Amino acid sequence: MTVADVQTLVMDLHEKGLLITERAGQGISLLNSRRERRVKEWRQKLLNPMYLRLPGWDPDGTLARMEPYVGWFFRWWAVLPTFVFVLFAYLFSRRGSMNCIVGYRSSSSSLAGRI
């Protein structure tokens, strides 16, 4: 092992909080890194709705009871028409907005010609 390898290992262990020195100011550094890590964890939890955890509640029973009522939402014969509907809505909304812009420009140019 070279000196560079040892330095890299020591820096990596320090950044991960696995190595503590007796140098002054170490406590502030550890507190800041802990704060940053907690903020990062909360941000990830808030941005990921699938992460929702409720202690003491197992969702399997609830999902099993809901499946006969809403399970058909996820069958191919329900997903396919929904996908086609969303696709056509998107395409027609794009076409409609372009017509409004083109129509607005043409009407303004025709008004300029009338004045």
Side-chain angles (χ1 to χ4, degrees), residues 52-73:
L52 180 65
R53 286 188 182 180
L54 300 174
W57 179 64
D58 184 20
D60 287 337
T62 304
L63 293 173
R65 286 191 302 271
M66 288 174 53
E67 198 273 330
Y69 302 107
V70 297
W72 62 273
F73 288 151

Side-chain angles (χ1 to χ4, degrees), residues 4-5 17 26 34-35 62 67-68 77 80 91 100-101:
D5 292 338
Q26 182 68 32
R34 180 174 183 251
R35 223 180 260 142
T62 304
E67 198 273 330
W77 47 266
L80 184 65
L91 292 174
C100 291
I101 293 170

Side-chain angles (χ1 to χ4, degrees), residues 89-101:
Y90 173 74
L91 292 174
F92 282 121
S93 70
R94 300 272 305 177
R95 195 177 119 218
S97 63
M98 293 304 289
N99 284 342
C100 291
I101 293 170

Side-chain angles (χ1 to χ4, degrees), residues 1-90:
M1 228 180 187
T2 65
V3 174
D5 292 338
V6 173
Q7 287 177 340
T8 304
L9 176 65
V10 169
M11 287 188 335
D12 189 41
L13 291 173
H14 180 69
E15 288 174 1
K16 292 179 181 176
L18 299 174
L19 182 67
I20 300 174
T21 65
E22 294 181 8
R23 209 174 73 193
Q26 182 68 32
I28 295 171
S29 172
L30 288 173
L31 185 61
N32 288 338
S33 65
R34 180 174 183 251
R35 223 180 260 142
E36 289 173 10
R37 188 173 57 246
R38 290 183 77 190
V39 166
K40 185 178 177 182
E41 288 173 2
W42 272 104
R43 188 177 300 130
Q44 287 176 344
K45 288 177 185 178
L46 292 175
L47 294 177
N48 186 1
M50 298 300 290
Y51 185 78
L52 180 65
R53 286 188 182 180
L54 300 174
W57 179 64
D58 184 20
D60 287 337
T62 304
L63 293 173
R65 286 191 302 271
M66 288 174 53
E67 198 273 330
Y69 302 107
V70 297
W72 62 273
F73 288 151
F74 305 104
R75 305 279 194 266
W76 70 268
W77 47 266
V79 172
L80 184 65
T82 304
F83 177 74
V84 170
F85 175 77
V86 169
L87 181 66
F88 277 113
Y90 173 74

